[in-house]
Every structure is written in C-alpha cells, then in structure tokens.
Amino acid sequence: MKRSREKAAAELFAALYPRLAGWCRRLVDDDETAHEIASEAFTRLWARWTSVSEPRGFLYVTAANLVRDHWRRMERERRAMRRATVEASVLPPAEQTDPSVRLLVQALPERLRIPTLLHYYADVPIREVAVLTGRKEGTVKADLHAARELLRAHLRRSLDHIR
C-alpha cells in the first residue's frame, strides 16, 4: 500500500510539477520563488494525501494562496522601501500609477482572485473551477465577469492618471 501511494505521488509530481511551477513563475516573476511555491504545494498535498479527492485542484488552490502570501510580502517590502526613501521623492504612490495586471489581480478580493488565477493563469476550465471552489458554474462565470470589470475599470483609471 505504501509503495503504491509513493508511486502515485511520484507519477502525479512528474505529470503536474512542471506546469504548476511554470504557472507560479508567471505569477511571481522569479524562478526560485516559483519552484519553492510549487514544492510547498506538493509538500502540503503529500501531508493530506489520503484526504484530498482532487489533487490537481488542491495543488493550484494551495499554490494560489502561497502566491498571494508572496505578493503580500513583496508589497510590504515595497512599502517599507518607499517609506525609507519618501523624503527624497515627491512622486504619487505606485498603486495609483502602476497599471500592472498582476498587481491588479493581486488586489482583487479573494472571492474573485482565486477563480481568476485558476481560469486565466492555470487554464482550468470553468467547470473545474466551480468544483475546486465549491461554487456553481454560473457563480464562477459571474465572479470572472466581475473580476474583469474591476480590472478594466482600474486599468482605465490608471491610464487616465498617467496621461
């Protein structure tokens, strides 16, 4: 039993790790951090191996949460750096002028962020996103629409502010 469990885990790792790490890489823009996040997601899956019914979804949701934590840490570091250099600068805060889609997705409420990351960044079909998040397909579609509208509005404001 233990041998088959290890074999199944090894096969899952071989099948999913490269894509999960690549997805994380696109989100965090750093190879080492992406591999740390993907590895941590697999470590957490292994700890719950017998109780997880959908390993792929578990991995992506766990990785999305770890990416969010990474983004939060990076934002705290950026704020600390801005505070340290604010005396030398009179520029408006970066949140108002940076239209980076990644930063905007990061700022979405979790209810909208998780489906957005899964569907648009991990190419998970809406039906699977619904299963993974425990929501109806119509709710996921509505959440994705709401996320797109929020992102569109914020991008417009950011671009108007820059002009």
Side-chain angles (χ1 to χ4, degrees):
M1 174 98 169
K2 185 178 181 186
R3 176 55 88 192
S4 65
R5 176 180 174 220
E6 289 175 3
K7 183 180 180 196
E11 289 172 358
L12 184 73
F13 184 85
L16 297 181
Y17 184 84
R19 188 168 181 180
L20 180 66
W23 179 68
C24 292
R25 169 67 175 88
R26 288 192 308 274
L27 294 173
V28 300
D29 204 25
D30 177 65
D31 283 334
E32 186 176 335
T33 303
H35 284 286
E36 286 175 10
I37 289 171
S39 297
E40 178 63 23
F42 270 96
T43 299
R44 291 181 184 190
L45 172 63
W46 181 251
R48 294 167 185 79
W49 184 254
T50 57
S51 64
V52 173
S53 60
E54 180 51 54
R56 180 176 183 257
F58 179 89
L59 287 168
Y60 276 94
V61 170
T62 300
N65 288 332
L66 292 168
V67 164
R68 180 200 60 218
D69 293 345
H70 170 76
W71 284 344
R72 285 179 177 165
R73 267 191 313 280
M74 295 303 292
E75 182 56 31
R76 283 192 300 269
E77 289 174 14
R78 278 191 288 274
R79 274 189 257 135
M81 288 300 291
R82 272 195 300 257
R83 278 193 304 270
T85 59
V86 75
E87 298 83 22
S89 174
V90 196
L91 295 174
E95 292 89 9
Q96 295 175 3
T97 60
D98 185 358
S100 166
V101 173
R102 189 177 74 201
L103 292 175
L104 297 177
V105 169
Q106 173 187 347
L108 287 172
E110 186 168 351
R111 175 182 69 80
L112 303 178
R113 184 178 54 248
I114 296 293
T116 299
L117 290 173
L118 291 171
H119 184 65
Y120 293 112
Y121 287 84
D123 298 323
V124 176
I126 290 175
R127 181 182 67 259
E128 281 186 55
V129 173
V131 170
L132 296 173
T133 59
R135 301 177 188 155
K136 295 180 180 177
E137 283 186 46
T139 303
V140 170
K141 289 177 183 177
D143 288 346
L144 291 172
H145 175 75
R148 286 191 308 272
E149 290 301 313
L150 280 172
L151 294 171
R152 185 177 293 122
H154 194 74
L155 279 171
R156 276 194 195 117
R157 282 193 307 274
S158 296
L159 292 174
D160 288 345
H161 181 75
I162 292 172
R163 292 180 194 165

